[in-house]
Amino acid sequence: MREQLTLKDFTITDFRNALYKRFNQPVLFWALIAMIFSYFYNLPIMTYAAVGSNELRLYDFAGLVLVYYYYYNFDLTYLFIKSQPFFRSLHLFLVYCIFTLMFTLAGSILIDKYLYFFSAVLYYYHFVIYFLTAVYLSIFFRNTAYLKKFVVFSLVVASIAFIIVILQNLSIVPFLWNDTYKSSYQSFLSGTFGPNKVVLGISALLIFILAIALVNQKRVLLNKYLLYLTLGVSLLVLIMSGSRTSYVGGAVFLLFYTVKRPLSLINSSIAALCFFTIIILIQPEIIDKTLSVYDNRVEKKIKNEDDLK
């Protein structure tokens, strides 16, 4: 029986080399690319009718590759998780969730609603695969060439997804989800994201923060046009989302950024102003639509005393 590896068995350099040698594989790399892509492309790629109408998305399949690597490389993967406090804490939470699933199973049996348990297992699977995505991305990020590939891919895919949302608001691209979603979410225009204001808004906020951080890092050698494009379209979609939760998150970030990096904020504001000026000259309807959404979701709510009670 093979003894379990511990961190004492490696120097820091040897441990990093062992991780890179074990996981530097094309299959894992493309599985991670698929997971990133699926974050911005939530449309189903397969439907089935085991219990009602069910859908499978890209991450359901790409995640199986990550589970495979986790199972057959458990020693090094678990060792890496233990070496990172945030991953270690999340891993413990995942273990805790397994025990709570037992209560869900018991409750489902008692009320004869087995679908509740299977739905919980599916949610747990999604949690696991995105956790493993973060773990294996973190390992790949030790190599700057891979880091650049993943970041550039994320910015490109995010920009395309946000542009689709903008084009939908200009009535150029149709609603992409089926009639059930169209009815449930009042035809909310979310492009390839899930038809939910918070999903779209938080996604735009996260990419906006990433873009603004990269724009103000002189050491980052990325295409500036891509960074400014991502910065502009993510800000537009953030406002278009109508997500007040995302608005609050954006306000907190800007407050933090104003205190910590005031000069960088000024530079980014100038770049954003230039972007919006170009948009106004080329397609002013985009700005009108953006301001209309903000007015309906924030201004009118504030003025309505009943909503403030």
Side-chain angles (χ1 to χ4, degrees), residues 176-194:
L176 300 177
W177 293 79
N178 62 36
D179 292 338
T180 302
Y181 286 101
K182 191 172 185 177
S183 174
S184 299
Y185 292 93
Q186 292 82 48
S187 301
F188 176 68
L189 300 175
S190 62
T192 56
F193 291 93

Side-chain angles (χ1 to χ4, degrees), residues 31-43 57-67 70 81 86-87 90-91 94 122-138 154 192-194 199 203 206:
L32 292 172
I33 286 290
M35 290 298 295
I36 294 174
F37 182 78
S38 67
Y39 184 86
F40 303 99
Y41 186 87
N42 292 162
L43 293 170
R57 295 175 171 78
L58 180 58
Y59 51 74
D60 289 308
F61 298 98
L64 293 174
V65 178
L66 304 185
V67 173
Y70 177 70
I81 290 171
F86 41 95
F87 286 145
L90 270 176
H91 190 267
L94 282 168
L122 184 60
Y123 287 134
Y124 181 76
Y125 170 69
H126 292 159
F127 190 177
V128 168
I129 61 177
Y130 271 105
F131 169 73
L132 292 178
T133 298
V135 169
Y136 289 126
L137 278 176
S138 184
S154 299
T192 56
F193 291 93
V199 170
S203 299
L206 292 175

Side-chain angles (χ1 to χ4, degrees), residues 151-152 155-156 159 222-231:
V151 170
V152 170
L155 294 176
V156 170
S159 296
L222 295 178
N223 188 299
K224 293 297 182 182
Y225 293 108
L226 173 61
L227 290 176
Y228 285 122
L229 172 66
T230 307
L231 184 66

Side-chain angles (χ1 to χ4, degrees), residues 18 76 84 116 139-140 142-143 148 162 164 166 174 209 216 218 252 254 262 272 280:
L76 274 182
Q84 308 297 317
Y116 291 171
I139 292 174
F140 271 88
R142 267 57 182 177
N143 183 297
K148 184 175 181 179
F162 292 145
I164 291 174
I166 294 171
I209 293 173
N216 291 287
K218 295 181 179 179
V252 172
L254 289 177
I280 291 172

Side-chain angles (χ1 to χ4, degrees), residues 98-111:
I98 291 178
F99 290 104
T100 63
L101 280 175
M102 298 301 102
F103 292 101
T104 304
L105 175 60
S108 299
I109 293 173
L110 285 173
I111 63 175

